[in-house]
Coordinates of all heavy atoms in Angstrom, one line a residue:
M120 N 73.4 69.2 90.8 CA 74.3 69.8 89.9 C 74.9 71.1 90.5 O 74.3 71.9 91.1 CB 73.5 70.2 88.6 CG 74.3 70.6 87.5 SD 73.2 70.6 86.0 CE 74.1 71.9 85.2
K121 N 76.1 71.2 90.3 CA 77.0 72.4 90.8 C 76.8 73.6 90.0 O 76.9 73.5 88.7 CB 78.4 71.9 90.9 CG 79.3 72.9 91.5 CD 80.7 72.5 91.5 CE 81.7 73.5 92.1 NZ 83.0 73.1 92.1
D122 N 76.5 74.7 90.7 CA 76.3 76.0 89.9 C 77.6 76.6 89.6 O 78.5 77.0 90.5 CB 75.5 77.0 90.7 CG 75.3 78.3 90.1 OD1 75.4 78.3 88.9 OD2 75.2 79.3 90.8
T123 N 78.0 76.6 88.3 CA 79.3 77.1 87.8 C 79.3 78.6 87.4 O 80.3 79.0 87.0 CB 79.9 76.2 86.8 OG1 79.0 76.2 85.6 CG2 80.1 74.8 87.2
H124 N 78.1 79.2 87.5 CA 78.0 80.6 87.2 C 78.7 81.5 88.1 O 78.3 81.5 89.3 CB 76.5 80.9 86.9 CG 76.4 82.4 86.6 ND1 76.7 82.8 85.3 CD2 75.9 83.5 87.2 CE1 76.4 84.1 85.2 NE2 76.1 84.5 86.2
L125 N 79.6 82.2 87.6 CA 80.3 83.2 88.5 C 79.6 84.5 88.4 O 79.3 85.0 87.3 CB 81.7 83.5 87.9 CG 82.8 84.2 88.7 CD1 83.0 83.4 90.1 CD2 84.0 84.4 88.0
P126 N 79.3 85.2 89.4 CA 78.6 86.4 89.5 C 79.5 87.6 88.8 O 80.7 87.4 88.6 CB 78.3 86.7 90.9 CG 79.3 85.9 91.6 CD 79.7 84.7 90.8
A127 N 78.9 88.7 88.6 CA 79.7 89.7 88.0 C 80.7 90.3 89.0 O 80.4 90.4 90.1 CB 78.7 91.0 87.7
V128 N 82.0 90.4 88.4 CA 83.0 90.8 89.3 C 83.3 92.2 89.1 O 83.7 92.6 87.9 CB 84.2 89.9 89.1 CG1 85.3 90.3 89.9 CG2 83.9 88.4 89.1
S129 N 83.1 93.1 90.0 CA 83.6 94.3 89.8 C 85.1 94.7 89.8 O 85.8 93.8 90.4 CB 83.0 95.4 91.1 OG 83.7 95.1 92.3
L130 N 85.3 95.8 89.2 CA 86.8 96.1 89.0 C 87.6 96.2 90.4 O 88.6 95.6 90.5 CB 87.0 97.2 88.2 CG 88.4 97.6 87.6 CD1 88.9 96.4 86.8 CD2 88.3 98.8 86.6
D131 N 87.0 96.7 91.3 CA 87.6 97.0 92.6 C 87.6 95.6 93.3 O 88.6 95.3 94.0 CB 86.6 97.9 93.5 CG 86.8 99.3 93.0 OD1 87.9 99.6 92.4 OD2 85.9 100.1 93.4
A132 N 86.5 94.7 93.2 CA 86.8 93.4 93.8 C 87.8 92.6 93.2 O 88.6 91.8 93.9 CB 85.4 92.7 93.7
F133 N 88.0 92.7 91.9 CA 88.9 91.8 91.1 C 90.4 92.4 91.5 O 91.4 91.7 91.8 CB 88.8 91.9 89.7 CG 89.5 90.8 89.1 CD1 89.3 89.4 89.2 CD2 90.5 91.1 88.0 CE1 90.0 88.4 88.6 CE2 91.1 90.0 87.4 CZ 91.0 88.7 87.7
R134 N 90.5 93.7 91.7 CA 91.9 94.3 92.1 C 92.2 93.8 93.6 O 93.3 93.5 93.8 CB 91.7 95.8 92.1 CG 91.8 96.4 90.7 CD 91.4 97.8 90.8 NE 91.6 98.5 89.5 CZ 91.0 99.6 89.2 NH1 90.0 100.2 90.0 NH2 91.1 100.0 87.9
S135 N 91.2 93.8 94.3 CA 91.4 93.3 95.7 C 91.9 91.9 95.8 O 92.7 91.4 96.6 CB 90.2 93.5 96.6 OG 89.8 94.9 96.7
F136 N 91.2 91.0 95.0 CA 91.6 89.7 94.9 C 93.0 89.5 94.5 O 93.7 88.7 95.1 CB 90.5 88.9 93.9 CG 90.9 87.4 93.6 CD1 90.5 86.4 94.7 CD2 91.5 87.0 92.4 CE1 90.9 85.1 94.5 CE2 91.8 85.8 92.3 CZ 91.5 84.8 93.2
L137 N 93.4 90.2 93.3 CA 94.7 90.1 92.9 C 95.8 90.5 93.8 O 96.8 89.9 94.1 CB 94.9 90.9 91.7 CG 94.1 90.4 90.4 CD1 94.3 91.3 89.2 CD2 94.7 88.9 90.0
T138 N 95.4 91.6 94.7 CA 96.3 92.0 95.7 C 96.4 91.1 96.9 O 97.5 90.8 97.4 CB 95.8 93.4 96.3 OG1 95.7 94.3 95.3 CG2 96.7 94.0 97.4
A139 N 95.3 90.5 97.2 CA 95.3 89.5 98.3 C 96.1 88.2 97.8 O 96.7 87.6 98.6 CB 93.9 89.0 98.5
K140 N 96.3 87.9 96.6 CA 97.1 86.8 96.0 C 98.5 87.1 95.9 O 99.3 86.4 95.3 CB 96.4 86.3 94.7 CG 95.2 85.6 94.9 CD 95.2 84.4 95.7 CE 93.8 83.8 96.0 NZ 94.0 82.5 96.9
G141 N 98.9 88.4 96.1 CA 100.4 88.7 96.1 C 100.6 89.5 94.8 O 101.9 89.7 94.6
F142 N 99.7 89.8 94.0 CA 100.0 90.5 92.7 C 100.3 92.0 93.0 O 99.8 92.6 93.9 CB 98.8 90.4 91.8 CG 98.8 89.0 91.1 CD1 98.4 87.9 91.8 CD2 99.4 88.9 89.8 CE1 98.4 86.6 91.2 CE2 99.4 87.7 89.2 CZ 99.0 86.6 90.0
V143 N 101.1 92.6 92.2 CA 101.5 94.0 92.3 C 101.1 94.7 91.0 O 101.3 94.2 89.9 CB 103.0 94.1 92.4 CG1 103.5 95.6 92.5 CG2 103.6 93.3 93.7
F144 N 100.5 95.9 91.2 CA 100.1 96.6 90.1 C 101.2 97.3 89.2 O 102.0 97.8 89.8 CB 99.1 97.7 90.5 CG 98.6 98.8 89.5 CD1 97.8 98.4 88.4 CD2 99.2 100.0 89.5 CE1 97.4 99.5 87.6 CE2 98.8 101.0 88.6 CZ 98.0 100.6 87.7
R145 N 101.1 97.2 88.0 CA 101.9 97.9 87.1 C 101.0 98.5 85.9 O 100.2 97.8 85.4 CB 102.9 97.0 86.3 CG 103.9 96.5 87.3 CD 104.9 97.5 87.8 NE 105.9 96.8 88.6 CZ 106.1 97.1 89.9 NH1 105.2 97.9 90.5 NH2 107.0 96.5 90.6
F146 N 101.2 99.8 85.7 CA 100.3 100.5 84.5 C 100.9 100.3 83.3 O 102.1 100.3 83.0 CB 100.4 102.0 85.0 CG 99.7 102.8 83.9 CD1 98.2 102.8 83.9 CD2 100.3 103.6 83.0 CE1 97.6 103.5 82.9 CE2 99.7 104.3 82.0 CZ 98.4 104.2 82.0
I147 N 100.0 100.0 82.3 CA 100.4 100.0 80.9 C 99.5 101.1 80.2 O 98.4 101.3 80.5 CB 100.0 98.7 80.3 CG1 100.6 97.5 80.9 CG2 100.2 98.7 78.7 CD1 100.2 96.2 80.3
A148 N 100.2 101.9 79.5 CA 99.5 103.0 78.7 C 98.4 102.4 77.8 O 98.6 101.3 77.2 CB 100.5 103.7 77.8
G149 N 97.4 103.1 77.5 CA 96.4 102.7 76.6 C 95.2 102.2 77.4 O 94.2 101.5 76.8
G150 N 95.0 102.3 78.6 CA 93.9 101.9 79.4 C 93.8 100.5 80.0 O 92.8 100.0 80.2
Y151 N 95.0 100.0 80.2 CA 95.1 98.6 80.6 C 95.9 98.6 82.0 O 96.8 99.5 82.2 CB 95.8 97.6 79.7 CG 95.0 97.3 78.5 CD1 95.1 98.1 77.3 CD2 94.2 96.2 78.4 CE1 94.4 97.9 76.3 CE2 93.4 96.0 77.3 CZ 93.4 96.8 76.2 OH 92.6 96.5 75.2
E152 N 95.7 97.6 82.8 CA 96.5 97.5 84.0 C 97.2 96.1 83.9 O 96.6 95.2 83.5 CB 95.5 97.4 85.2 CG 94.9 98.6 85.6 CD 93.9 98.5 86.7 OE1 94.1 97.5 87.5 OE2 93.2 99.4 86.9
K153 N 98.3 96.1 84.3 CA 99.2 94.9 84.3 C 99.6 94.4 85.8 O 100.1 95.3 86.5 CB 100.5 95.1 83.5 CG 101.4 93.8 83.4 CD 102.6 94.1 82.5 CE 103.5 92.9 82.5 NZ 104.5 93.2 81.6
W154 N 99.1 93.3 86.2 CA 99.4 92.9 87.4 C 100.4 91.7 87.4 O 100.1 90.8 86.5 CB 98.1 92.4 88.1 CG 97.1 93.5 88.4 CD1 96.2 94.2 87.6 CD2 96.9 94.1 89.7 NE1 95.6 95.1 88.2 CE2 95.9 95.2 89.5 CE3 97.4 93.9 90.9 CZ2 95.5 95.9 90.5 CZ3 96.9 94.8 92.0 CH2 95.9 95.8 91.8
H155 N 101.3 91.7 88.1 CA 102.2 90.6 88.2 C 102.6 90.0 89.7 O 102.5 90.9 90.5 CB 103.5 90.8 87.3 CG 104.5 91.6 88.2 ND1 104.5 93.0 88.2 CD2 105.7 91.2 88.8 CE1 105.5 93.3 88.9 NE2 106.3 92.3 89.2
Q156 N 103.0 88.9 89.7 CA 103.3 88.2 91.0 C 104.9 88.2 90.9 O 105.5 87.5 90.1 CB 102.7 86.9 91.2 CG 102.4 86.6 92.6 CD 101.7 85.3 92.7 OE1 101.5 84.6 91.7 NE2 101.1 85.1 93.8
P157 N 105.5 88.9 91.9 CA 106.9 88.8 91.9 C 107.6 87.4 92.0 O 107.1 86.6 92.7 CB 107.3 89.6 93.2 CG 106.3 90.5 93.4 CD 105.0 89.7 93.0
G158 N 108.4 87.0 91.0 CA 109.1 85.7 91.0 C 108.2 84.7 90.2 O 108.6 83.5 90.1
E159 N 107.1 85.1 89.7 CA 106.2 84.1 88.8 C 106.2 84.7 87.5 O 106.7 85.8 87.1 CB 104.6 84.3 89.4 CG 104.5 83.7 90.9 CD 104.9 82.3 91.0 OE1 104.5 81.4 90.0 OE2 105.4 81.9 92.0
G160 N 105.6 83.9 86.6 CA 105.7 84.0 85.1 C 104.7 85.0 84.5 O 105.0 86.1 84.3
R161 N 103.5 84.5 84.4 CA 102.5 85.2 83.6 C 101.8 86.4 84.3 O 101.3 86.2 85.4 CB 101.5 84.3 83.1 CG 101.9 83.3 82.0 CD 100.8 82.5 81.5 NE 100.0 83.4 80.6 CZ 99.0 82.7 79.8 NH1 98.7 81.5 80.0 NH2 98.3 83.7 79.1
P162 N 101.7 87.5 83.6 CA 101.0 88.7 84.3 C 99.5 88.5 84.0 O 99.2 87.8 83.1 CB 101.6 89.8 83.6 CG 102.1 89.3 82.3 CD 102.5 87.8 82.4
V163 N 98.8 89.3 84.6 CA 97.3 89.4 84.5 C 97.1 90.8 83.9 O 97.6 91.8 84.5 CB 96.5 89.2 85.8 CG1 95.0 89.5 85.5 CG2 96.7 87.8 86.2
V164 N 96.4 90.9 82.7 CA 96.1 92.3 82.1 C 94.7 92.4 82.0 O 93.9 91.5 81.5 CB 96.8 92.3 80.7 CG1 96.5 93.7 80.0 CG2 98.3 92.1 80.8
I165 N 94.2 93.5 82.5 CA 92.7 93.9 82.5 C 92.6 95.4 82.1 O 93.5 96.2 82.2 CB 92.1 93.7 83.9 CG1 92.8 94.5 85.0 CG2 92.1 92.2 84.2 CD1 92.1 94.4 86.5
R166 N 91.4 95.7 81.6 CA 91.1 97.0 81.1 C 90.8 97.8 82.4 O 90.1 97.4 83.2 CB 90.0 97.0 80.2 CG 90.2 96.4 78.9 CD 89.2 96.6 77.9 NE 89.8 97.2 76.8 CZ 89.3 97.7 75.7 NH1 88.0 97.7 75.6 NH2 89.9 98.4 74.8
M167 N 91.4 99.1 82.5 CA 91.2 99.9 83.5 C 89.7 100.5 83.7 O 89.3 100.7 84.8 CB 92.0 101.0 83.5 CG 93.5 100.8 83.5 SD 94.4 102.2 83.4 CE 94.3 103.1 84.9
Y168 N 89.0 100.5 82.6 CA 87.6 101.2 82.6 C 86.5 100.3 82.4 O 85.4 100.7 82.0 CB 87.7 102.4 81.6 CG 88.9 103.4 82.0 CD1 89.9 103.5 81.1 CD2 88.8 104.2 83.2 CE1 90.9 104.3 81.4 CE2 89.9 104.9 83.3 CZ 90.9 105.1 82.5 OH 92.0 105.9 82.8
Q169 N 86.6 99.0 82.3 CA 85.6 98.1 82.1 C 85.2 97.5 83.4 O 85.8 96.6 83.9 CB 86.1 97.0 81.1 CG 85.0 96.2 80.3 CD 85.6 95.6 79.2 OE1 86.7 95.3 79.0 NE2 84.8 95.3 78.2
D170 N 84.1 98.0 83.8 CA 83.5 97.5 85.1 C 82.0 97.3 85.0 O 81.3 98.0 84.5 CB 83.7 98.7 86.2 CG 83.6 98.3 87.5 OD1 83.4 97.0 87.9 OD2 83.3 99.1 88.5
P171 N 81.6 95.9 85.2 CA 82.4 94.9 85.8 C 83.3 94.3 84.8 O 83.2 94.5 83.6 CB 81.3 93.9 86.2 CG 80.2 94.2 85.3 CD 80.2 95.7 85.0
V172 N 84.2 93.5 85.3 CA 85.2 92.8 84.5 C 84.5 91.8 83.7 O 83.8 91.0 84.3 CB 86.4 92.3 85.3 CG1 87.4 91.6 84.5 CG2 87.1 93.3 86.2
P173 N 84.7 91.7 82.4 CA 84.0 90.7 81.6 C 84.4 89.3 82.0 O 85.4 89.0 82.6 CB 84.6 90.9 80.2 CG 85.0 92.3 80.1 CD 85.5 92.5 81.5
L174 N 83.3 88.3 82.0 CA 83.5 87.0 82.5 C 84.7 86.3 81.8 O 85.5 85.6 82.4 CB 82.3 86.2 82.3 CG 82.4 84.9 83.0 CD1 82.6 84.9 84.5 CD2 81.0 84.2 82.7
F175 N 84.8 86.4 80.5 CA 86.0 85.8 79.8 C 87.3 86.2 80.3 O 88.3 85.5 80.5 CB 85.9 86.1 78.2 CG 86.3 87.4 77.8 CD1 87.6 87.6 77.4 CD2 85.3 88.3 77.7 CE1 88.0 88.8 77.0 CE2 85.8 89.6 77.3 CZ 87.1 89.9 77.0
A176 N 87.4 87.6 80.7 CA 88.7 88.1 81.2 C 89.0 87.6 82.6 O 90.2 87.3 82.9 CB 88.6 89.7 81.3
V177 N 87.9 87.4 83.4 CA 88.1 86.8 84.7 C 88.7 85.4 84.6 O 89.5 84.9 85.2 CB 86.8 86.9 85.5 CG1 86.9 86.2 86.8 CG2 86.4 88.3 85.8
R178 N 87.9 84.6 83.8 CA 88.2 83.2 83.6 C 89.7 83.1 83.0 O 90.4 82.2 83.4 CB 87.2 82.6 82.7 CG 86.0 82.2 83.4 CD 84.9 81.4 82.7 NE 83.8 81.1 83.4 CZ 82.6 80.9 83.0 NH1 82.4 81.1 81.7 NH2 81.6 80.6 83.7
T179 N 90.0 83.9 82.1 CA 91.4 83.8 81.5 C 92.4 84.2 82.6 O 93.5 83.4 82.6 CB 91.5 84.8 80.3 OG1 90.5 84.6 79.3 CG2 92.9 84.8 79.7
A180 N 92.2 85.1 83.4 CA 93.1 85.5 84.4 C 93.3 84.4 85.4 O 94.4 84.1 85.8 CB 92.7 86.8 85.1
L181 N 92.2 83.8 85.8 CA 92.1 82.7 86.9 C 93.0 81.6 86.4 O 93.7 80.9 87.0 CB 90.7 82.4 87.2 CG 90.0 83.3 88.1 CD1 88.6 82.9 88.4 CD2 90.6 83.6 89.5
R182 N 92.7 81.2 85.0 CA 93.4 80.1 84.5 C 95.0 80.4 84.3 O 95.8 79.5 84.7 CB 92.9 79.8 83.0 CG 93.3 78.6 82.5 CD 92.5 78.2 81.2 NE 92.2 79.4 80.3 CZ 90.9 79.8 80.1 NH1 89.9 79.2 80.8 NH2 90.6 80.8 79.4
A183 N 95.3 81.7 84.0 CA 96.8 82.1 84.0 C 97.5 82.0 85.3 O 98.6 81.6 85.4 CB 96.8 83.4 83.4
I184 N 96.8 82.3 86.5 CA 97.4 82.3 87.8 C 97.2 80.9 88.5 O 97.6 80.8 89.6 CB 97.0 83.5 88.6 CG1 95.5 83.4 89.0 CG2 97.3 84.7 87.9 CD1 94.9 84.4 89.9
G185 N 96.4 80.0 87.9 CA 96.2 78.8 88.5 C 95.2 78.6 89.7 O 95.3 77.9 90.6
E186 N 94.2 79.6 89.6 CA 93.2 79.6 90.6 C 91.9 79.1 90.0 O 91.6 79.2 88.8 CB 93.0 81.0 91.2 CG 94.2 81.5 91.9 CD 94.3 80.9 93.3 OE1 93.3 80.2 93.9 OE2 95.4 80.9 93.8
E187 N 91.0 78.6 90.9 CA 89.6 78.2 90.5 C 88.7 79.3 90.7 O 88.9 80.2 91.5 CB 89.2 77.1 91.4 CG 90.2 75.9 91.3 CD 89.9 75.0 89.9 OE1 88.8 75.1 89.5 OE2 90.9 74.5 89.5
E188 N 87.6 79.2 89.9 CA 86.5 80.1 90.0 C 85.9 80.2 91.5 O 85.5 81.2 92.0 CB 85.4 79.9 89.1 CG 85.7 80.3 87.7 CD 84.7 80.0 86.6 OE1 83.4 80.0 87.2 OE2 84.8 79.8 85.5
E189 N 85.9 79.1 92.0 CA 85.3 79.0 93.4 C 86.1 79.8 94.4 O 85.6 80.3 95.4 CB 85.4 77.5 93.9 CG 84.6 77.1 95.1 CD 83.1 77.5 95.1 OE1 82.5 77.4 94.0 OE2 82.5 78.0 96.2
T190 N 87.4 79.8 94.3 CA 88.3 80.7 95.2 C 87.9 82.1 95.0 O 87.8 82.9 96.0 CB 89.8 80.6 94.7 OG1 90.2 79.1 94.7 CG2 90.7 81.3 95.7
L191 N 87.6 82.6 93.9 CA 87.2 84.0 93.6 C 85.9 84.3 94.2 O 85.6 85.2 94.9 CB 87.3 84.4 92.2 CG 86.7 85.8 91.8 CD1 87.6 86.8 92.6 CD2 86.7 86.0 90.3
R192 N 85.0 83.3 94.1 CA 83.5 83.5 94.6 C 83.6 83.4 96.1 O 83.0 84.4 96.6 CB 82.7 82.1 94.2 CG 81.4 82.3 94.6 CD 80.5 81.1 94.1 NE 80.3 81.1 92.7 CZ 80.7 80.2 91.8 NH1 81.2 79.1 92.4 NH2 80.5 80.1 90.5
K193 N 84.4 82.7 96.7 CA 84.5 82.6 98.2 C 85.2 84.0 98.8 O 84.7 84.6 99.7 CB 85.3 81.5 98.7 CG 84.7 80.2 98.6 CD 85.5 79.1 99.1 CE 84.7 77.7 99.0 NZ 85.7 76.6 99.4
F194 N 86.1 84.5 98.0 CA 86.8 85.8 98.3 C 85.7 86.9 98.2 O 85.8 87.7 99.1 CB 87.9 86.1 97.4 CG 88.6 87.4 97.6 CD1 89.5 87.5 98.6 CD2 88.3 88.6 96.9 CE1 90.1 88.7 98.9 CE2 88.8 89.8 97.1 CZ 89.8 89.8 98.1
M195 N 85.0 86.9 97.1 CA 84.0 88.0 97.0 C 82.8 87.8 98.1 O 82.4 88.9 98.6 CB 83.2 88.0 95.7 CG 84.2 88.3 94.6 SD 83.6 88.1 92.8 CE 81.9 88.8 93.0
E196 N 82.5 86.6 98.5 CA 81.5 86.4 99.5 C 82.0 87.1 100.9 O 81.3 87.7 101.7 CB 81.0 85.0 99.8 CG 80.3 84.5 98.7 CD 80.1 82.9 98.8 OE1 80.6 82.3 99.7 OE2 79.4 82.4 97.9
Q197 N 83.3 86.9 101.2 CA 83.9 87.4 102.3 C 84.1 88.8 102.3 O 83.9 89.5 103.3 CB 85.4 86.7 102.6 CG 85.3 85.4 102.9 CD 86.7 84.7 103.1 OE1 87.7 85.3 102.7 NE2 86.7 83.5 103.6
E198 N 84.3 89.4 101.2 CA 84.4 90.9 101.0 C 83.1 91.5 101.2 O 83.0 92.8 101.6 CB 85.0 91.3 99.6 CG 86.4 90.9 99.4 CD 87.3 91.8 100.1 OE1 87.2 93.1 100.1 OE2 88.2 91.2 100.8
L199 N 82.1 90.9 100.8 CA 80.6 91.5 101.0 C 80.1 91.5 102.4 O 79.2 92.1 102.8 CB 79.6 90.8 100.1 CG 80.0 90.9 98.5 CD1 78.9 90.2 97.8 CD2 79.8 92.4 98.2
R200 N 80.8 90.7 103.3 CA 80.4 90.6 104.7 C 80.7 91.8 105.4 O 81.5 92.6 105.3 CB 81.1 89.4 105.4 CG 80.3 88.2 104.8 CD 80.9 87.0 105.6 NE 80.4 85.8 105.0 CZ 80.8 84.6 105.3 NH1 81.7 84.4 106.2 NH2 80.3 83.6 104.7

């Protein structure tokens, strides 16, 4: 059986993942960050002060940008090396 549990994702790791995927940071007043990919549709919005990023927020963001949880998991493993 495949383990589908995603480990806790730190805010810095998630920011690094978004940057690696070509996303650009845009600030939103009120404690949120808006990340968008130039030329693409949906932005990713995360809370600036919520570390680690809640799992529902990670999954929603991944679904919005068309990435799999496995992609993020592999990215995090490479970052920890």
Side-chain angles (χ1 to χ4, degrees):
M120 187 168 151
K121 185 178 175 183
D122 179 24
T123 59
H124 179 71
L125 191 64
V128 181
S129 74
L130 191 52
D131 287 337
F133 198 60
R134 287 173 177 152
S135 294
F136 177 75
L137 291 173
T138 301
K140 292 295 177 183
F142 281 77
V143 179
F144 168 77
R145 296 286 186 248
F146 174 76
I147 298 178
Y151 290 89
E152 295 177 10
K153 181 179 180 180
W154 292 79
H155 81 282
Q156 205 171 21
E159 296 295 322
R161 290 187 71 177
V163 172
V164 179
I165 55 175
R166 292 191 122 185
M167 293 177 72
Y168 306 110
Q169 202 163 19
D170 193 12
V172 180
L174 188 56
F175 77 89
V177 171
R178 286 185 172 150
T179 300
L181 291 174
R182 195 170 33 251
I184 64 175
E186 291 289 342
E187 298 288 327
E188 289 182 21
E189 189 62 31
T190 306
L191 177 58
R192 184 179 293 122
K193 287 178 183 178
F194 178 83
M195 290 174 51
E196 288 172 1
Q197 289 177 348
E198 288 289 309
L199 293 175
R200 288 183 189 172

